[in-house]
Amino acid sequence: MITLNTQGIKEVLHKQITKFFEAEPVMLELTQDIQNNDAEAGQTLHFSNPHYWVKVMDCSFESYVRPVILCEVIYFLKKEYMDAEVEVNVDIDLSAPADERITISATISFNDQVELERTELNNLIDLALQLKDKEWFEELSSRYNAISA
């Protein structure tokens, strides 16, 4: 699992936006636009993947500025980390100073559990025995026994 903070996300987005738009962004900046009219001072707002429509950044190019919404952040992170599950969280603390008000983070997880057939497990168990790797042998044996049960 990989965890990215605001800076890490900006670095990935800068790289992916440059590829996608074939133009390098001059600046990526978390937006100060609050899109919730019901928000009160002192309140903390939280947005995640289901809130794909939330504007989270402004992307400045040489001649124009375009908004970056949450679904684009998710898309670009998935382009960077192929075959991964991406969970993005945006927190807006309305009581914090303006430059510290918004934070964005992402958790990238990979499905690294491979489903093996009994014959494949048998072959790997034989290999573990040949290599005299007791720990791997025990792990494979427990997986084999779980399938057999």
Side-chain angles (χ1 to χ4, degrees):
M1 180 169 37
I2 300 170
T3 303
L4 296 176
N5 61 12
T6 302
Q7 187 59 37
I9 292 171
K10 283 183 176 182
E11 289 170 6
V12 170
L13 263 57
H14 188 276
K15 176 183 167 187
Q16 290 297 327
I17 287 172
T18 301
K19 283 184 191 176
F20 189 81
F21 290 105
E22 298 178 352
E24 188 169 350
V26 175
M27 183 171 52
L28 274 169
E29 184 176 51
L30 290 170
T31 186
Q32 294 297 316
D33 298 345
I34 303 300
Q35 299 177 4
N36 189 337
N37 294 335
D38 300 331
E40 298 175 18
Q43 186 178 5
T44 300
L45 303 175
H46 176 78
F47 300 102
S48 60
N49 288 27
H51 305 102
Y52 58 88
W53 49 265
V54 173
K55 177 184 169 190
V56 293
M57 290 185 185
D58 288 316
C59 179
S60 302
F61 292 98
E62 288 290 329
S63 58
Y64 66 98
V65 176
R66 73 174 300 280
V68 178
I69 58 177
L70 188 55
C71 67
E72 292 175 308
V73 173
I74 295 166
Y75 171 79
F76 288 127
L77 288 172
K78 284 187 174 197
K79 294 279 287 176
E80 182 75 14
Y81 300 99
M82 301 290 278
D83 298 327
E85 292 295 320
V86 175
E87 177 69 30
V88 178
N89 293 292
V90 179
D91 292 301
I92 304 170
D93 183 355
L94 299 176
S95 63
D99 60 336
E100 299 172 10
R101 184 170 288 171
I102 302 170
T103 57
I104 185 169
S105 62
T107 304
I108 293 103
S109 53
F110 301 90
N111 182 6
D112 55 359
Q113 279 290 37
V114 178
E115 296 297 322
L116 298 172
E117 301 290 326
R118 287 173 55 118
T119 55
E120 295 169 319
L121 279 170
N122 273 333
N123 292 336
L124 291 175
I125 288 170
D126 289 342
L127 179 60
L129 286 170
Q130 289 172 1
L131 296 173
K132 297 181 171 110
D133 188 333
K134 183 180 178 181
E135 185 179 325
W136 191 31
F137 169 78
E138 289 173 355
E139 177 188 335
L140 292 168
S141 295
S142 68
R143 287 176 69 179
Y144 182 83
N145 291 334
I147 289 175
S148 299

